[in-house]
Amino acid sequence: MITHRGERRERREKDYFRLEGRTAVSEPKLLDQAFHFIMKRMVKTGQAPHYTEIARELKVPVEEGRKTLQALFAAGVPGWLHPGTDLISSFAPFNNLPTPYRLTIDGRQNWFGQ
């Protein structure tokens, strides 16, 4: 069977929501809120938030914040978690770890690029 990337990703997202016992109806809103919070934090401080901070922002239990972070990357957000952890290494276009690529926003160089 031949599938397109979008179909595979859609199927993977549905499988994730089904396996975790979540409802796909409420999940996209939560993922959008998590994405927005992470991006705002990266722009403001140059550092990615910990999943406990994401949970606090979304007003969900810590474990739900961790699973939401994992679901965000499983949904295809460009970036990745540090191997073997639930810590954000990269969240495009930002990198949480130092790289040779410095980014400047409003005259400040607080960020690293992918």
Side-chain angles (χ1 to χ4, degrees):
M1 169 188 248
I2 298 175
T3 60
H4 294 19
R5 271 190 196 162
E7 291 174 355
R8 279 194 304 251
R9 185 171 73 190
E10 183 177 316
R11 196 173 310 140
R12 186 174 62 221
E13 289 171 9
K14 286 180 182 176
D15 289 344
Y16 178 84
F17 297 134
R18 186 178 70 244
L19 291 172
E20 295 298 322
R22 299 174 179 197
T23 59
V25 175
S26 63
E27 204 60 31
K29 182 178 179 183
L30 192 63
L31 293 179
D32 286 346
Q33 290 171 336
F35 179 91
H36 184 70
F37 174 68
I38 294 168
M39 189 59 72
K40 277 188 353 185
R41 176 65 64 87
M42 292 291 289
V43 169
K44 182 177 180 181
T45 67
Q47 296 291 314
H50 190 266
Y51 64 84
T52 56
E53 295 172 287
I54 295 169
R56 184 175 53 232
E57 176 70 18
L58 300 176
K59 296 176 179 61
V60 298
V62 171
E63 182 61 17
E64 187 71 16
R66 187 182 68 79
K67 289 179 180 179
T68 299
L69 179 61
Q70 291 174 344
L72 194 60
F73 286 106
V77 168
W80 56 89
L81 298 173
H82 188 73
T85 72
D86 291 308
L87 303 174
I88 299 170
S89 282
S90 185
F91 200 80
F94 302 107
N95 206 27
N96 205 37
L97 300 173
T99 69
Y101 311 107
R102 297 291 304 214
L103 301 177
T104 302
I105 299 176
D106 293 332
R108 296 183 340 206
Q109 257 192 352
N110 289 349
W111 305 269
F112 295 99
Q114 288 185 338

